[in-house]
Amino acid sequence: MVYNVITNKKWQKVAFIIASMGYVIMAILAFTSFKRLSWYQDVRTFLDQTYYHVFQILGIIVILRAGIQYYEDHDNTILETIPIFVFEHFLLAFIFIFFIIDFNTLMGVGALRRAYTLRALFYILLAGSQYDYEEYLPWLSLASLAMMVACIVCSKQGMIADVLYKRSAVSIGHSLGYVWPLTFHAHFLILVLLYLVIRREHFTIWEMLILLAANTYIGLLTTAKTAMILAYVVVILAYVLHFDPVREKLSALFQWAYAFVIGIPVISMLCSIIYNGNLGVWTFLDRVLNNRLRLQHNAFRQYGFAFLGRNVKWVSFGTNAKSIKESDYNYVDNTFLKTGYDYGLGLLLFFVAGFAYSIHTFIKKENYTGVLCIVVLFLLGILQHQPFEITFNPLIFTFAPLFLVTKSDITSSIERIREAS
């Protein structure tokens, strides 16, 4: 019976989808004004524990099933099979050790919420590693969309706060129930990316026009220029890729996406280090980026970079805008730098490697729209902190299969590359 429970993937898939949808819903609530309501914390604490245990059980089952499969494929005793199995899945073992070390470090510096998020992240991705992203990403997208609609409705009804951001005398951004207007539009862009990854070459001109219209309307409400421009670009390019001749000509360019996802985080770090407010070119760039370079440089001078995470107390406006002094504001709106500070450079490297693996998967499936979406996601990461947060970006699930990559997979890939060259 135990064997049947472990090897039956149907019930595990249903449990994973339900738990993932619930996790996404509750996680997104943390970016909304719902978290200010009295019931929020008790419900979140209960559900966090529930989801964690579900993902933990599913993750352990994944390892057990992989071990059973390995044992059945090899005529060895248990004692001989286990160490060979661990060696074959050395990447999984390495990732597990890394997460344990990073978790203990965050617990040691008092970053408890981040430590528990890191622990959940390991089991969530491990549990999802046995499925193709196309099997569950639509469900997670639906959960994200439902939360966005709920926030809009509740903010319009006055049930939760609609935080206002006064850009000028005539330009006011609405958060529509989120903690900040820019956060709402960033979430909308993530939803657009998810939709495009799912639709691929089936994306039609009517869908393009609807998304462009929705993006324009939301942009007028939130005044979020960066996310709005990126949404325009990715939607139009996704439709252009709908045509076979264009896709065939551009497919070679997407090979450069690997260098892009590596180069952007490196450039972001270098800029935060070498920024000099006394030089005109830096002050101009900082003004264009709304003081982001200065804040990133200040964070580097104060905290530096560490392979393991720190317990940085970030001060931002959001729903507490009236009580926060501008001089106390220290928030780093850059997903690569903030991930490095909050969780350590190790997790940053893991995410970069993970999204590089997602690009590999998309290219293998000839889903060039997916590659385009990863590139746009990294562009958003330069100016926003959310893209590497699984509580905000279900695209992270696309590299879950990386957990089960074996030594044989890596060596065979190297051989194919040698033969091709």
Side-chain angles (χ1 to χ4, degrees), residues 24-44 143-163 175-180 183-184 187 318-319:
V24 166
I25 289 172
M26 286 304 299
I28 291 175
L29 284 177
F31 293 92
T32 70
S33 296
F34 278 109
K35 69 178 184 178
R36 304 296 174 187
L37 301 181
S38 59
W39 53 262
Y40 169 78
Q41 194 56 50
D42 291 337
V43 172
R44 176 170 182 172
S144 295
L145 178 61
M147 279 310 308
M148 174 171 279
V149 173
C151 283
I152 294 173
V153 172
C154 290
S155 67
K156 291 297 183 181
Q157 295 297 321
M159 298 171 61
I160 56 177
D162 178 16
V163 181
S175 73
L176 301 174
Y178 280 66
V179 295
W180 198 239
T183 304
F184 181 92
H187 186 208
T319 51

Side-chain angles (χ1 to χ4, degrees), residues 42 46 68 96 111 148 152 202 235-236 293 298 301 369 414:
D42 291 337
F46 170 75
I68 291 172
F96 175 73
M148 174 171 279
I152 294 173
H202 306 297
V235 168
I236 293 173
L293 286 177
N298 292 342
R301 291 181 59 186
T369 303
I414 294 174

Side-chain angles (χ1 to χ4, degrees), residues 73-225:
D73 293 342
H74 297 77
D75 189 18
N76 298 312
T77 65
I78 290 291
L79 294 178
E80 291 175 340
T81 302
I82 291 177
I84 299 175
F85 170 77
V86 172
F87 179 72
E88 179 69 1
H89 288 81
F90 74 94
L91 185 60
L92 174 60
F94 174 79
I95 292 173
F96 175 73
I97 293 171
F98 157 72
F99 270 86
I100 288 295
I101 295 174
D102 218 2
F103 173 80
N104 289 330
T105 300
L106 290 173
M107 291 288 287
V109 298
L112 302 183
R113 170 59 65 181
R114 295 170 196 163
Y116 292 135
T117 299
L118 194 69
R119 181 184 65 174
L121 175 64
F122 175 81
Y123 285 110
I124 289 171
L125 294 180
L126 180 58
S129 62
Q130 60 185 321
Y131 308 112
D132 189 293
Y133 67 87
E134 294 177 340
E135 296 183 68
Y136 56 81
L137 210 55
W139 294 100
L140 303 187
S141 303
L142 186 62
S144 295
L145 178 61
M147 279 310 308
M148 174 171 279
V149 173
C151 283
I152 294 173
V153 172
C154 290
S155 67
K156 291 297 183 181
Q157 295 297 321
M159 298 171 61
I160 56 177
D162 178 16
V163 181
L164 303 181
Y165 174 35
K166 187 176 181 181
R167 286 185 178 271
S168 66
V170 295
S171 179
I172 298 177
H174 294 259
S175 73
L176 301 174
Y178 280 66
V179 295
W180 198 239
L182 304 186
T183 304
F184 181 92
H185 211 130
H187 186 208
F188 174 77
L189 176 58
I190 295 293
L191 276 175
V192 170
L193 297 181
L194 286 168
Y195 185 77
L196 295 176
V197 167
I198 295 167
R199 291 293 291 160
R200 300 180 53 166
E201 68 275 6
H202 306 297
F203 187 57
T204 66
I205 188 171
W206 294 111
E207 292 169 292
M208 179 189 73
L209 293 175
I210 292 172
L211 288 180
L212 290 178
N215 184 50
T216 302
Y217 178 69
I218 293 174
L220 293 174
L221 288 176
T222 63
T223 68
K225 297 178 182 178

